Amino acid sequence: MLKRICRVLGGVLLIAASAAVCEAAESPSVLEYLGERASRMAAELPALPASVDEWESHAETIRRELSSVLDLPQREPMKAAVIDRKELDDLVIEEVMYLWAERAYVSGNVIRQKDATGRGPGLVVPPGWLGHYTQPFYKSFLFHMARLGYVVLFIDDPHIGKRHAPYAGLYAVASAAGSQVMGIQVFDTLRGLDYMLTRADIDPGRLGVAGLCQGSEQAWLAGALEERFRFVVPVCGTTTYEGWARLPSFEGVALADPSPYVEGVLRFTDWDRIDACIAPRPVLVASNSGDNWW
């Protein structure tokens, strides 16, 4: 009798174990859970305002919350210096350093026409991921815009140039200090605007921001936060945070770099509302169909 009971119990346990294994195999992964959670958060965002006046109030709330979640420092009076200058055919390339906050400085390069006179249009170009003005896909664009008459500032990525922040170390230190790498780079861009407005060769009424790939995200955010950017050109970087959160599990695509994500952003907004904060200033959106990261 005892043996029969043991066999029956063993069979029951085996069936239960098999059911548990099947349930575990069919259960969502952590990434799937997070993607589904992001969709729920996006669905729970407040309804869009019904009037322009309501929207303008909502946009101010978005800007205030973005500034807080990105942990943007106070913008101090600008200090800057041109530390090197070289000529290349019809262009001048100036290596500049401008104040970020407290004792921290940002490095970058200004490209402009050698024989230009008076005040011309200006363009701030955030670097995206590991960007530097000498990289061919940036250089051709920057030189082209300079030859069209723009004074172009290309900002060094925090990991390269004279900044030299260790790749993983930057994320670790930013996290411990309560900051975000995207916030650091958006502030680079905002301070780039502050620097360009000190230059005698810039027309402040024709100063915009343009970014490629991750730099597009920096351009969207900086344009939403700063109305003195008179136009915004995001290239290959238009998406939603909900869509991004679903990519790794549901599309099999993951960003190579985590910094475009803004911690907790879906608690109060998503990209469509952030982007709308730029209105009614002109925006040119350009994306290629094969870039499935965005």
Side-chain angles (χ1 to χ4, degrees):
M1 179 63 72
L2 182 60
K3 290 182 178 179
R4 185 178 300 173
I5 292 172
C6 289
R7 285 197 297 270
V8 172
L9 289 175
V12 171
L13 290 173
L14 180 60
I15 292 170
S18 298
V21 169
C22 290
E23 182 179 353
E26 295 172 359
S27 66
S29 67
V30 171
L31 284 176
E32 289 173 329
Y33 160 76
L34 292 173
E36 291 169 354
R37 175 175 169 173
S39 289
R40 291 194 297 271
M41 294 173 72
E44 292 169 0
L45 289 172
L48 289 172
S51 69
V52 173
D53 289 343
E54 290 176 359
W55 166 254
E56 289 176 349
S57 176
H58 184 60
E60 284 305 310
T61 299
I62 290 173
R63 293 187 185 103
R64 184 170 59 252
E65 291 178 326
L66 272 178
S67 296
S68 176
V69 76
L70 289 170
D71 190 42
L72 301 183
Q74 292 295 317
R75 288 161 78 171
E76 305 170 43
M78 177 52 62
K79 300 176 183 177
V82 175
I83 60 175
D84 191 27
R85 181 184 185 278
K86 61 184 177 184
E87 295 185 3
L88 185 64
D89 300 325
D90 57 332
L91 300 178
V92 172
I93 301 173
E94 299 172 346
E95 187 175 359
V96 301
M97 298 286 290
Y98 62 86
L99 181 65
W100 192 81
E102 298 184 16
R103 295 186 299 113
Y105 280 75
V106 179
S107 60
N109 289 271
V110 170
I111 301 100
R112 59 180 178 82
Q113 285 182 339
K114 181 167 57 177
D115 298 327
T117 59
R119 293 180 178 270
L123 188 64
V124 177
V125 183
W129 184 54
L130 302 183
H132 192 265
Y133 90 94
T134 56
Q135 293 168 333
F137 45 86
Y138 286 120
K139 185 176 180 180
S140 59
F141 168 71
L142 301 172
F143 283 25
H144 173 71
M145 296 305 293
R147 289 188 169 111
L148 288 178
Y150 284 82
V151 179
V152 184
L153 169 64
F154 189 88
I155 304 165
D156 285 349
D157 181 276
H159 304 93
I160 62 176
K162 285 186 164 55
R163 305 180 79 182
H164 292 302
Y167 182 68
L170 180 61
Y171 300 104
V173 173
S175 177
S179 188
Q180 302 194 49
V181 174
M182 179 55 86
I184 292 169
Q185 293 195 264
V186 169
F187 201 65
D188 289 350
T189 307
L190 297 176
R191 293 297 279 166
L193 169 81
D194 294 341
Y195 163 64
M196 293 285 270
L197 289 172
T198 68
R199 293 181 60 106
D201 53 1
I202 294 290
D203 177 355
R206 293 189 291 163
L207 180 56
V209 58
L212 169 68
C213 200
Q214 184 175 314
S216 175
E217 307 304 313
Q218 295 152 21
W220 275 123
L221 286 163
L225 289 167
E226 176 54 82
E227 292 184 339
R228 289 180 298 174
F229 279 126
R230 305 307 294 269
F231 59 89
V232 181
V233 183
V235 181
C236 296
T238 303
T239 185
T240 65
Y241 280 115
E242 178 194 0
W244 258 353
R246 297 181 65 87
L247 277 176
S249 283
F250 297 99
E251 300 293 336
V253 176
L255 296 182
D257 176 70
S259 62
Y261 291 95
V262 174
E263 182 181 351
V265 68
L266 282 171
R267 298 184 187 279
F268 66 92
T269 195
D270 203 347
W271 271 115
D272 53 345
R273 300 165 191 239
I274 295 170
D275 301 346
C277 290
I278 299 171
R281 290 167 286 157
V283 175
L284 172 64
V285 180
S287 289
N288 61 330
S289 59
D291 193 348
N292 58 359
W293 279 0
W294 312 100

